[in-house]
Amino acid sequence: MSASSRGLTSVRMQVEFASEHGVSVASLLPGSGIEPEWLTRNDVQIEAEQELAVVANLCAELGDSAELGLAMGQRYHLSSYGVWGFALLSSGTFREAVALGQRYLDLTFAFNRVTLEEQGGQAALIIDDGDLPEGVRDYLLARDASAIMMIQQELFASRMPLSRLQLRLPARATAPFEAVFGLVPEFDQPLNRIGFAAGVLDRPLPQANPVTARLCEQQCQQLLAQRRRRVGMAARVREQLLARPGRFPTMEQLADEIGVTSRTLRRRLLAEDTSYRELLDEVRRLLAEQWLLGGGLRQEEISARLGFSEVSNFIHAFKRWTGKTPARYRREKAMNNEQLTGNSE
């Protein structure tokens, strides 16, 4: 399940869907921590578990129905996902769109992980529903699979012909699935696979635009970083590091300032799946990117401000973080901004 927060768009859509089936808002929100008035706002972020609580209430009212999930999934248009949808739409090929979609899947409303496999002349999207709880699994599997088909259809402006559809769902009437996927599914399978000819992956997309794609991906990166803001002890450490650029304390010094032993700090950060070194790198990278783009500082000045003893050490670290040297990063960002300005004129 996604570790980042998400907007209320998906909850709002499912509330409307449930209302059409006679289920009130009051029946869907208990246990979610979502207030009814939030549904009219666009500035509220929730956790995936909160949406899952809404889904559980919906399934309790209407049943854990794959058929309902199929219908719901057809409502998730590319525009529903904001910048993530526009990034896919402007990708050069279907392969590029799939790769980008996977990189920023946490910006969507999916509850299943999606991976791509290729073998011979065939390719398949694998939908992993192993983490879904009973009582919502059929609905969410069908919803996310149906949403994938809607995304594909809008990318190509036509439905992609599938070669095979395998689902872990128990056998049932096939007509609703044929309407969405265009072929008869195989039920009771060990994996959920949407199979198609591998050649489709390299088909160009009709609305491909490399400049727009780059800009949208940058926005995806920023948005994902915002949604994954650190919490708990990691947040405290990160805030302390950001408050003193160029004068970063050792872990022992910081632990003393926070009022714990270095051993306790190390253990608590490990429990949050991070470390002092990882947080220090995260802060250094954030500051380096900001100063490279907006500060007018030379590499030597940035290196010193970040506490590196040699410029070469800074360049090596920055390349490890981003895959690019500081000079190349600054140059490419400047070119992107010039292209954006040129397109807007």
Side-chain angles (χ1 to χ4, degrees), residues 106-117:
D106 282 348
L107 293 179
T108 73
F109 312 108
F111 282 94
N112 300 276
R113 307 310 298 178
V114 181
T115 55
L116 173 69
E117 69 171 24

Side-chain angles (χ1 to χ4, degrees), residues 20-318:
E20 294 169 11
H21 289 78
V23 180
S24 68
V25 175
S27 300
L28 291 182
L29 299 185
S32 69
I34 299 172
E35 299 295 334
E37 57 268 24
W38 293 1
L39 298 176
T40 61
R41 296 170 53 183
N42 295 319
D43 61 339
V44 176
Q45 294 289 309
I46 61 170
E47 301 302 318
E49 289 80 4
Q50 291 178 271
E51 181 178 344
L52 188 61
V54 173
V55 170
N57 291 334
L58 185 153
C59 289
E61 293 285 338
L62 300 176
D64 182 15
S65 166
E67 289 73 19
L68 285 175
L70 291 175
M72 185 65 227
Q74 291 294 287
R75 302 189 179 202
Y76 287 83
H77 298 280
L78 280 170
S79 58
S80 305
Y81 302 98
V83 68
W84 183 88
F86 289 114
L88 266 63
L89 197 61
S90 55
S91 297
T93 65
F94 187 49
R95 183 188 299 278
E96 292 175 10
V98 170
L100 188 145
Q102 289 178 298
R103 283 198 299 276
Y104 303 104
L105 190 65
D106 282 348
L107 293 179
T108 73
F109 312 108
F111 282 94
N112 300 276
R113 307 310 298 178
V114 181
T115 55
L116 173 69
E117 69 171 24
E118 292 182 73
Q119 188 170 9
Q122 289 293 307
L125 294 173
I126 310 300
I127 306 174
D128 181 3
D129 65 340
D131 292 335
L132 295 180
E134 294 296 335
V136 299
R137 179 173 293 158
D138 290 2
Y139 169 83
L140 283 176
L141 169 60
R143 190 199 77 169
D144 287 0
S146 177
I148 288 173
M149 292 305 295
M150 176 55 66
I151 289 170
Q152 171 278 311
Q153 185 171 329
E154 293 189 338
L155 288 177
F156 283 118
S158 63
R159 186 165 66 186
M160 175 177 68
L162 303 183
S163 57
R164 194 174 186 184
L165 175 63
Q166 298 171 286
L167 298 170
R168 296 207 313 144
L169 295 169
R172 62 193 66 207
T174 63
F177 294 86
E178 292 179 66
V180 172
F181 299 98
L183 80 171
V184 177
E186 302 170 40
F187 294 114
D188 293 306
Q189 299 298 305
L191 291 174
N192 303 299
R193 300 175 76 255
I194 301 177
F196 52 93
V200 172
L201 288 169
D202 296 312
R203 280 178 54 185
L205 298 181
Q207 298 191 53
N209 185 313
V211 174
T212 301
R214 283 198 299 272
L215 293 174
C216 285
E217 179 160 12
Q218 290 171 17
Q219 293 176 33
C220 284
Q221 292 173 346
Q222 295 168 1
L223 184 57
L224 191 60
Q226 292 171 5
R227 292 188 178 183
R228 286 177 168 173
R229 286 192 179 115
R230 300 288 186 178
V231 296
M233 179 59 77
R236 293 182 63 186
V237 171
R238 190 175 186 272
E239 289 171 4
Q240 291 285 337
L241 294 174
L242 281 170
R244 58 185 84 182
R247 297 179 291 107
F248 299 119
T250 65
M251 187 177 70
E252 289 71 20
Q253 292 170 332
L254 188 58
D256 186 60
E257 292 177 14
I258 292 176
V260 298
T261 66
S262 59
R263 182 176 180 181
T264 297
L265 177 58
R266 183 181 294 107
R267 186 177 68 251
R268 290 181 62 177
L269 290 177
L270 182 61
E272 295 177 18
D273 197 28
T274 188
S275 66
Y276 178 80
R277 173 56 58 185
E278 183 177 330
L279 291 169
L280 180 58
D281 276 353
E282 182 181 308
V283 168
R284 277 175 157 170
R285 174 178 175 172
L286 176 65
L287 294 172
E289 290 177 348
Q290 290 178 351
W291 289 336
L292 282 168
L293 298 181
L297 299 174
R298 294 180 294 110
Q299 287 188 30
E300 292 80 3
E301 294 173 301
I302 295 174
S303 174
R305 289 191 179 197
L306 294 177
F308 288 97
S309 58
E310 300 287 343
V311 177
S312 59
N313 293 338
F314 165 58
I315 294 174
H316 176 77
F318 193 85

